[in-house]
Amino acid sequence: MEPLLALFLFLFTACSETNNQREIPTEAPFIVVLGVAQDAGYPQAGQKQEWELIKERAAKPKNAVALGLVDPTTKQRWLFEATPDFKLQLQMLDDVSQTNNYPLDGIFLTHAHIGHYTGLIHLGREVMGTSGVPVYAMPKMKAFLEENGPWSQLVDLNNIEIKPQQDSITIQLNSSVSVTPFTVPHRDEFSETVGYEIRVKDKSIIFIPDIDKWSKWNQDIIEAIRKSDMALLDASFFKNGEIPGRDMSEIPHPFVEESMSLFGKLSDEDKAKVYFIHFNHTNPLNFSDSDESKLVREKGFKIAYEGQIMEF
C-alpha cells in the first residue's frame, strides 16, 4: 500500500473510533464525544515531530472539540460545534445515531474561533448543499455569519437557517431534551462566547470548551459542577510555559494545574463529574499514558476521549 494512502486510512479510522466497551444506547438520549483537541486538531499543520509520531503509530490523531447529542426515541441528533473536522465527525455521528434523519436537526455554535464554526462550509453548495439546517447562534455570532462571506452565502441559499439564542434562555428541543446557552469570558474578537447546559429531564451536562479564566466568569464554576451530572471543561493547556517563546497571557485559558487546584475542594463524587477536554497540541493530556494524564486520574478527575458515550 502506498505510504500516503496508508496514512490517510489510519487517520480516518483513528479519528472515527467509538467506544467499543459500551453498547450504544437505544432508548435514552446520550452524548457522543466527537473531538477533544483544540481548534486545529492534533497533529497541527507544520508540526513535523507530531506527524512523525502519527506515522510511527506512537500517537493518534484527534479531531477538534465537538459533541453529538442523540435522541434514539425521536430519531433526532444535534451537533455542538462545526469544526474543520466536520466530515469525519458527521460520519462518527452517523455511526452511533442509527437514524435516517439527515443531515442534522441542529448545530449549536459556541463562538467565532476557527475550530468552532468553519465546518459549516460543508453544508454549502460545493459539498452537501443542505436545506435549512438550524444553526443556533448568539446575536453577534448570527450577525457575523450573515454579514461575512462565505458564511453569508449559506444563509442566502438557505443551506442553513440561523436560530437566534440568548444568554441563559432555554431552548426546548423536544419533550425531554433542552439546551441553555450561557456567556463566558473569552477573546471575543468576532462574537460572544458561550458554554451550554444540555439537559435531559432532570439530568444535565455542562460544556465549556473555551473560557479565559474561571475567576473572570460571573458564575461559580464549583457550584456549576456540583449542580451538574457531568462537566466537560476547557483544558487547552496543562501548565504555564507550555508554548515556548509565546506570552501565554495573550491566549488565556485555565491551566489544568490551576483547575485541579481550584476543584480540589470538591467531594470525590463531584470531582468524578469533571472531564477535561479541548487539548492544545502541546498538552500532554493528548497521551493517555503521560505522567500528567496519570496525575489527573489520580486526583479523581477524568479525561474525555473521542468516541466516548455519555448517558444521562
Side-chain angles (χ1 to χ4, degrees), residues 145-176:
L145 295 173
E146 292 173 335
E147 297 170 7
N148 296 277
W151 326 109
S152 56
Q153 188 178 70
L154 300 175
V155 178
D156 295 341
L157 297 180
N158 194 40
N159 299 130
I160 64 174
E161 180 182 354
I162 300 181
K163 301 286 189 180
Q165 56 183 11
Q166 298 291 331
D167 181 26
S168 302
I169 301 299
T170 297
I171 300 164
Q172 196 70 40
L173 297 177
N174 61 33
S175 60
S176 61

Side-chain angles (χ1 to χ4, degrees), residues 213-214 233-240 242 253-263 276-279 283-285 292 295-296 299 301 303:
K213 293 290 183 182
W214 299 121
L233 304 179
D234 184 349
S236 298
F237 304 108
F238 190 82
K239 63 181 179 180
N240 195 13
E242 194 170 297
H253 289 270
F255 302 127
V256 174
E257 283 187 339
E258 293 176 335
S259 294
M260 290 195 297
S261 176
L262 176 62
F263 301 164
F276 288 114
I277 199 167
H278 193 267
F279 313 127
N283 193 326
L285 297 190
E292 291 83 355
L295 178 63
V296 168
K299 288 185 175 292
F301 306 107
I303 302 169

Side-chain angles (χ1 to χ4, degrees), residues 243-288:
I243 304 180
R246 288 191 67 177
D247 180 0
M248 294 188 68
S249 66
E250 296 177 355
I251 42 175
H253 289 270
F255 302 127
V256 174
E257 283 187 339
E258 293 176 335
S259 294
M260 290 195 297
S261 176
L262 176 62
F263 301 164
K265 64 186 72 173
L266 291 168
S267 67
D268 290 345
E269 180 182 2
D270 286 331
K271 287 179 183 176
K273 297 176 181 178
V274 173
Y275 291 79
F276 288 114
I277 199 167
H278 193 267
F279 313 127
N280 192 57
H281 68 111
T282 58
N283 193 326
L285 297 190
N286 282 303
F287 300 89
S288 60

Side-chain angles (χ1 to χ4, degrees), residues 167-193:
D167 181 26
S168 302
I169 301 299
T170 297
I171 300 164
Q172 196 70 40
L173 297 177
N174 61 33
S175 60
S176 61
V177 180
S178 66
V179 172
T180 305
F182 50 85
T183 56
V184 297
H186 193 43
R187 295 175 290 112
D188 295 337
E189 301 96 337
F190 301 114
S191 77
E192 317 90 336
T193 301

Side-chain angles (χ1 to χ4, degrees), residues 12-285:
F12 181 81
T13 55
C15 286
S16 302
E17 287 179 324
T18 54
N19 181 10
N20 295 321
Q21 297 178 349
R22 299 179 64 182
E23 293 184 2
I24 297 170
T26 57
E27 295 183 3
F30 63 92
I31 292 286
V32 55
V33 178
L34 301 175
V36 298
Q38 179 265 2
D39 302 40
Y42 181 92
Q44 285 196 8
Q47 296 293 328
K48 294 182 179 180
Q49 183 177 3
E50 294 170 7
W51 282 99
E52 287 301 319
L53 291 175
I54 296 295
K55 287 189 285 186
E56 295 167 3
R57 308 294 178 94
K60 290 183 179 181
K62 292 177 172 60
N63 292 327
V65 68
L67 304 179
L69 170 61
V70 180
D71 189 336
T73 301
T74 62
K75 298 189 182 300
Q76 293 173 288
R77 74 263 185 83
W78 301 268
L79 186 63
F80 288 78
E81 310 290 35
T83 83
D85 300 309
F86 182 91
K87 61 183 179 181
L88 291 173
Q89 292 170 327
L90 182 59
Q91 182 59 48
M92 291 170 67
L93 187 58
D94 285 349
D95 289 344
V96 299
S97 57
Q98 301 176 344
T99 175
N100 293 322
N101 195 359
Y102 199 76
L104 292 162
D105 292 281
I107 300 173
F108 288 85
L109 304 178
T110 59
H111 64 302
H113 284 165
I114 64 166
H116 301 263
Y117 78 98
T118 56
L120 292 175
I121 205 163
H122 289 275
L123 303 178
R125 69 188 339 172
E126 297 89 348
V127 191
M128 297 177 72
T130 57
S131 178
V133 173
V135 173
Y136 294 86
M138 295 290 285
K140 290 182 181 178
M141 184 80 228
K142 178 177 182 291
F144 176 80
L145 295 173
E146 292 173 335
E147 297 170 7
N148 296 277
W151 326 109
S152 56
Q153 188 178 70
L154 300 175
V155 178
D156 295 341
L157 297 180
N158 194 40
N159 299 130
I160 64 174
E161 180 182 354
I162 300 181
K163 301 286 189 180
Q165 56 183 11
Q166 298 291 331
D167 181 26
S168 302
I169 301 299
T170 297
I171 300 164
Q172 196 70 40
L173 297 177
N174 61 33
S175 60
S176 61
V177 180
S178 66
V179 172
T180 305
F182 50 85
T183 56
V184 297
H186 193 43
R187 295 175 290 112
D188 295 337
E189 301 96 337
F190 301 114
S191 77
E192 317 90 336
T193 301
V194 297
Y196 287 102
E197 179 190 49
I198 306 167
R199 180 169 290 275
V200 175
K201 296 183 179 179
D202 61 343
K203 302 289 186 181
S204 70
I205 292 175
I206 57 172
F207 176 49
I208 308 175
D210 275 284
I211 191 170
D212 283 350
K213 293 290 183 182
W214 299 121
S215 60
K216 293 184 179 181
W217 193 22
N218 61 5
Q219 298 185 43
D220 184 348
I221 183 58
I222 296 296
E223 286 306 306
I225 294 169
R226 285 172 175 158
K227 291 178 181 178
S228 71
D229 293 281
M230 283 178 275
L232 289 88
L233 304 179
D234 184 349
S236 298
F237 304 108
F238 190 82
K239 63 181 179 180
N240 195 13
E242 194 170 297
I243 304 180
R246 288 191 67 177
D247 180 0
M248 294 188 68
S249 66
E250 296 177 355
I251 42 175
H253 289 270
F255 302 127
V256 174
E257 283 187 339
E258 293 176 335
S259 294
M260 290 195 297
S261 176
L262 176 62
F263 301 164
K265 64 186 72 173
L266 291 168
S267 67
D268 290 345
E269 180 182 2
D270 286 331
K271 287 179 183 176
K273 297 176 181 178
V274 173
Y275 291 79
F276 288 114
I277 199 167
H278 193 267
F279 313 127
N280 192 57
H281 68 111
T282 58
N283 193 326
L285 297 190

